C-alpha cells in the first residue's frame, strides 16, 4: 500500500539497541512508520467467484458459541456465521442488523423491531422468540457469558410481538444498544441451541444462525470449514466464495511462510509478526493497516506492591519511550499513544475528545519521574509477566527495564508459557507474585467509555483495584445524552491517563494480509463482528 509519510526506523532502532540491548529482527533500513493517514477500513471487493478461501487463524477457536467468543480467532469465524441485532460496519459505525429499528419509549426501555425476511440455515424463520432466547442466554449468569457486563443493568428481555423484542433496564444504560452490534447481540435458533445443550458451538455440533456462511465441519487440530448460505437475506453481502477453510497455524514464521508460498489466502494479525518486512516486500501479497480499537498496555496485576503506588506508576509511565516501542519493537506498524482510547474510539463528540487528547503526549519526562520516585522512597522490585515466545513482550520489557535502571528501579520479568498466559485475566492465583503484565486489549465498539469501564469497584479486570473513577464510570454508563457522556468520559480519561493503572503504550492497527489474487476483506477491526469473508472474491490483477 502507498504511505504518504515515511519515517525512517533505523535511527530509532539504534536508540533501542543502545538502550535495551535487544535484537531486532524486524528493524530494516527500508521500513517506515505508519501514521493515521495510512489506516483504511476496507479493501476493494473482489469481483470473481471463488471455490474456496483459505484463511489462517492465530490459534484454534475454543468455541464458536457467541457467548464464549471474546477473543480474536473465535470472533473471526463467528462474524460470518451468527449475526447480531445491529451491525458494526467496516467504518466502525453501527447500523441496523437483524433488528431494522430500535425505539426508546423511555430511558429504561428499548424496543427492537426485527426484520421479517430472515431465515436460519435450515429454512426456519427467525422470530422474536429466537431473539429473546438468545439474549437471555447472555443474561443468565449460569451460562458464564463473556459479554455479561453489558447485561448488568438489564431487568428483563421479552418477545412482545412476533417481530418485536423489548428490553427493560434497572437504570439507563448507554452501552447496551451499542453492544448489540457485537457478539453480545448474536442470535441463534432456539430449538437447535436447546437440543445441542452443552455441545452448542463445539466441533461435533456447531451452531445454527442466519449469517452469509453456515457451519460446515470442524476437524479439531486441523481445520474449520464454513459454507455459503444461499438463502441469505442481505443481497449486498452474498458471498463470492463457496466456502472458507480456516487453518490454525499458530507459529508466526510458519504462517508468514504459508502466506508467501500461496498456501493460504489471508490472515489478520493483531500484533506485527516477526516477518512483517517480508510480507511488505512480497509482490504476491497485499498488506493493509486498518482502523482499530486495539491497544497495547502494561496493566497493574496486584493491589499491593510497587505498582499500587500511584507515584511509581506515574514515574514508570513518564520514562517509557512509546515512540521507540511503536517504531522498532512493533516495526513501525503501531501508533504511540499515551491514552487507552485513541481516535478510532471517538464515535461521538469527536471534537471534544480531540481537544482533550491535546493535554497528553508521548514525550518522556525523566526529571518528573525522578521526583516522583524520590517522593515514593525505596521500592521493591517490579515484576512484569511476559508471554513466552512473544518477541514483542520481551523487547518491550527490555525497553522499560533499561529506562528504569537509569532511575534505580529494579524491573524484572517472569516468562509465562503462552498456553498459560490467558489465565492472568481470570485466575488470581496466576497473578500471584506479579506487579504487571502486558495486554493486547480491544474495545468492541467506538465509544471511549469502552476503554475505561473496568475501573469500578470490584471490576472484573480491575486487577490493581483502581477505583478513583468508579463513580464517574457508573454515571457515564447511565448518561444517554452523548454530549453529557463525553464530558464525563473526558474526566475519566484524564484521571486514568495521569494515574496510570493501565499504562497505554500504543494503538495497534489491524494488519490484514491477502494474497494478491483475492481482495475484499474488511481491513478495520470490525472484522471481529462484521461478515468480512462475504466480500472476498477473486482479483484478476494485484492492487
Amino acid at each position: 500500500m502507498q504511505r504518504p509519510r515515511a519515517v525512517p526506523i533505523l535511527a530509532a532502532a539504534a536508540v533501542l539497541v543502545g538502550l535495551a540491548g535487544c535484537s531486532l529482527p524486524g528493524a530494516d533500513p527500508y521500513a517506515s512508520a505508519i501514521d493515521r493517514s495510512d489506516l483504511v477500513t476496507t479493501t476493494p471487493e473482489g469481483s470473481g467467484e471463488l471455490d474456496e478461501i483459505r484463511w489462517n487463524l492465530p490459534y484454534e477457536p475454543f468455541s464458536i458459541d457467541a457467548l464464549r467468543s471474546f477473543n480474536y480467532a473465535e470472533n473471526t469465524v463467528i462474524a460470518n456465521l451468527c449475526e447480531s441485532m445491529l451491525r458494526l460496519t467496516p467504518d466502525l459505525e453501527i447500523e441496523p442488523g437483524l433488528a431494522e429499528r430500535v425505539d426508546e419509549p423511555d430511558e429504561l426501555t428499548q424496543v427492537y423491531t426485527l426484520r421479517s425476511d430472515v431465515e436460519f440455515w435450515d429454512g426456519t424463520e427467525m422470530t422474536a422468540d429466537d431473539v429473546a432466547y438468545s439474549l437471555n442466554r447472555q443474561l443468565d449468569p449460569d451460562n458464564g457469558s463473556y459479554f455479561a457486563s453489558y447485561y448488568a443493568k438489564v431487568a428483563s428481555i421479552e418477545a412482545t410481538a412476533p417481530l418485536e423484542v423489548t428490553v427493560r433496564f434497572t437504570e439507563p444504560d448507554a452501552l447496551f444498544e451499542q453492544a448489540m452490534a457485537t457478539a453480545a447481540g448474536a442470535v441463534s435458533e432456539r430449538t437447535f441451541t436447546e437440543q445441542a445443550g452443552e455441545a452448542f458451538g463445539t466441533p461435533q455440533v456447531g451452531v445454527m444462525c442466519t449469517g452469509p456462511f453456515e457451519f460446515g465441519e470442524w476437524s479439531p487440530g486441523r481445520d474449520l470449514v464454513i459454507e455459503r448460505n444461499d438463502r441469505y437475506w442481505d443481497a449486498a453481502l452474498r458471498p463470492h466464495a463457496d466456502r472458507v477453510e480456516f487453518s490454525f497455524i499458530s507459529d508466526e514464521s510458519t504462517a508468514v511462510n504459508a502466506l508467501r508460498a500461496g498456501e493460504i489466502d489471508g490472515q489478520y494479525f493483531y500484533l506485527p509478526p516477526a516477518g512483517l518486512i517480508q510480507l511488505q516486500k512480497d509482490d504476491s501479497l497485499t498488506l493493509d493497516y486498518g482502523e482499530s480499537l486495539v491497544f497495547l498496555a502494561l496493566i497493574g496485576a496486584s493491589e499491593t506492591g510497587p505498582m499500587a503506588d500511584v507515584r511509581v506508576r506515574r514515574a514508570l509511565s513518564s520514562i517509557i519511550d512509546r515512540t521507540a516501542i511503536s517504531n522498532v519493537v512493533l516495526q513501525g506498524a503501531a501508533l504511540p499513544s499515551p491514552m487507552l482510547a485513541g481516535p478510532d474510539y471517538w464515535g461521538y463528540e469527536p471534537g471534544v475528545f480531540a481537544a482533550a487528547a491535546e493535554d497528553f503526549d508521548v514525550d518522556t519526562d525523566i526529571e518528573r519521574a525522578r521526583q516522583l520516585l524520590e517522593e515514593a522512597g525505596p521500592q521493591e522490585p517490579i515484576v512484569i509477566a511476559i508471554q513466552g515466545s512473544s518477541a514483542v513482550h520481551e523487547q518491550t520489557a527490555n525497553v522499560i527495564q533499561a529506562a528504569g535502571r537509569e532511575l534505580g528501579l529494579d524491573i524484572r520479568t517472569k516468562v509465562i508459557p503462552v498456553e498459560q498466559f490467558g489465565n492472568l485475566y481470570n485466575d488470581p492465583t496466576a497473578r500471584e507474585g506479579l506487579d504487571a503484565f502486558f495486554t493486547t486489549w480491544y474495545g468492541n465498539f467506538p465509544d471511549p467509555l469502552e476503554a475505561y469501564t473496568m475501573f469500578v469497584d470490584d471490576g472484573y479486570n480491575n486487577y490493581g483495584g483502581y477505583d478513583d473513577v468508579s463513580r464517574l464510570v457508573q454515571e457515564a454508563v447511565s448518561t444517554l445524552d452523548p454530549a453529557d457522556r463525553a464530558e464525563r468520559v473526558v474526566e475519566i480519561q484524564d484521571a486514568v491517563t495521569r494515574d496510570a493503572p493501565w499504562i497505554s503504550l500504543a494503538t495497534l492497527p489491524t494488519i490484514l494480509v491477502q494474497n494478491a489474487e483475492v481482495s475484499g476483506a474488511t481491513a478495520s477491526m470490525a472484522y471481529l463482528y462484521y461478515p468480512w469473508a462475504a466480500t472476498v472474491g477473486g482479483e484478476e490483477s494485484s492492487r
Side-chain angles (χ1 to χ4, degrees), residues 255-420:
V256 167
N257 289 337
L259 283 162
R260 299 188 68 199
E263 296 169 1
I264 53 178
D265 295 316
Q267 179 170 344
Y268 291 103
F269 292 92
Y270 57 89
L271 278 172
L276 180 64
I277 300 299
Q278 295 172 299
L279 296 174
Q280 289 173 327
K281 294 182 176 181
D282 194 321
D283 291 338
S284 70
L285 302 170
T286 61
L287 189 151
D288 292 277
Y289 296 102
E291 293 184 6
S292 173
L293 306 178
V294 184
F295 55 81
L296 176 66
L298 178 67
I299 69 177
S302 174
E303 296 184 22
T304 61
M307 292 290 283
D309 189 326
V310 66
R311 295 167 297 188
V312 174
R313 297 197 305 267
R314 288 174 174 174
L316 194 58
S317 181
S318 295
I319 63 176
I320 294 175
D321 189 341
R322 293 170 172 83
T323 301
I325 291 171
S326 289
N327 287 0
V328 185
V329 173
L330 297 169
Q331 304 176 70
L335 303 170
S337 176
M339 301 178 302
L340 300 178
D344 290 336
Y345 275 89
W346 303 345
Y348 60 98
E349 302 295 331
V352 172
F353 292 110
E358 293 179 1
D359 291 340
F360 301 98
D361 56 50
V362 295
D363 296 337
T364 58
D365 191 339
I366 304 302
E367 283 309 308
R368 177 175 183 269
R370 197 184 309 277
Q371 293 171 5
L372 287 165
L373 292 174
E374 287 177 358
E375 293 175 12
Q379 298 294 319
E380 295 293 318
I382 297 173
V383 181
I384 298 175
I386 63 174
Q387 181 177 296
S389 77
S390 172
V392 167
H393 282 201
E394 180 184 3
Q395 293 172 9
T396 302
N398 286 343
V399 173
I400 296 172
Q401 285 178 303
R405 278 195 298 270
E406 296 296 316
L407 296 179
L409 280 178
D410 182 1
I411 301 175
R412 304 176 184 180
T413 60
K414 180 179 180 180
V415 178
I416 307 295
V418 61
E419 62 272 12
Q420 299 174 19

Side-chain angles (χ1 to χ4, degrees), residues 79-93:
N80 296 286
L81 299 174
C82 298
E83 297 181 286
S84 297
M85 299 283 277
L86 303 177
R87 179 182 282 167
L88 182 67
T89 72
D91 292 332
L92 299 181
E93 297 177 349

Side-chain angles (χ1 to χ4, degrees), residues 81-356:
L81 299 174
C82 298
E83 297 181 286
S84 297
M85 299 283 277
L86 303 177
R87 179 182 282 167
L88 182 67
T89 72
D91 292 332
L92 299 181
E93 297 177 349
I94 294 176
E95 66 179 19
L98 295 179
E100 61 184 9
R101 192 176 77 247
V102 184
D103 296 305
E104 298 183 357
D106 58 64
E107 290 189 339
L108 299 180
T109 308
Q110 292 178 3
V111 180
Y112 291 81
T113 300
L114 308 178
R115 298 186 60 89
S116 61
D117 56 351
V118 179
E119 295 181 353
F120 293 103
W121 305 323
D122 63 1
T124 303
E125 291 185 2
M126 183 192 74
T127 68
D129 183 62
D130 295 300
V131 172
Y133 169 78
S134 299
L135 301 189
N136 275 304
R137 283 188 76 227
Q138 301 270 8
L139 177 63
D140 186 348
D142 291 340
N143 289 330
S145 170
Y146 293 175
F147 296 93
S149 62
Y150 293 127
Y151 287 78
K153 299 180 187 298
V154 173
S156 65
I157 303 170
E158 298 177 298
T160 46
L163 292 173
E164 180 184 278
V165 172
T166 299
V167 182
R168 294 182 174 85
F169 300 87
T170 57
E171 56 186 286
D173 190 334
L175 300 183
F176 182 85
E177 182 178 336
Q178 298 180 83
M180 291 298 96
T182 75
V187 175
S188 62
E189 185 184 41
R190 177 173 186 167
T191 300
F192 181 97
T193 308
E194 288 181 329
Q195 290 176 350
E198 291 297 316
F200 185 76
T202 65
Q204 293 73 30
V205 174
V207 293
M208 179 60 65
C209 297
T210 64
F213 289 91
E214 59 186 84
F215 178 77
E217 60 179 340
W218 182 353
S219 302
R222 190 180 71 188
D223 58 31
L224 190 161
V225 176
I226 61 177
E227 301 170 344
R228 176 162 54 195
N229 171 23
D230 289 326
R231 60 173 75 243
Y232 185 53
W233 62 271
D234 190 346
L237 286 172
R238 286 180 180 151
H240 296 286
D242 289 340
R243 53 185 257 151
V244 181
E245 179 182 301
F246 293 100
S247 54
F248 316 132
I249 304 172
S250 59
D251 180 76
E252 279 187 357
S253 297
T254 304
V256 167
N257 289 337
L259 283 162
R260 299 188 68 199
E263 296 169 1
I264 53 178
D265 295 316
Q267 179 170 344
Y268 291 103
F269 292 92
Y270 57 89
L271 278 172
L276 180 64
I277 300 299
Q278 295 172 299
L279 296 174
Q280 289 173 327
K281 294 182 176 181
D282 194 321
D283 291 338
S284 70
L285 302 170
T286 61
L287 189 151
D288 292 277
Y289 296 102
E291 293 184 6
S292 173
L293 306 178
V294 184
F295 55 81
L296 176 66
L298 178 67
I299 69 177
S302 174
E303 296 184 22
T304 61
M307 292 290 283
D309 189 326
V310 66
R311 295 167 297 188
V312 174
R313 297 197 305 267
R314 288 174 174 174
L316 194 58
S317 181
S318 295
I319 63 176
I320 294 175
D321 189 341
R322 293 170 172 83
T323 301
I325 291 171
S326 289
N327 287 0
V328 185
V329 173
L330 297 169
Q331 304 176 70
L335 303 170
S337 176
M339 301 178 302
L340 300 178
D344 290 336
Y345 275 89
W346 303 345
Y348 60 98
E349 302 295 331
V352 172
F353 292 110

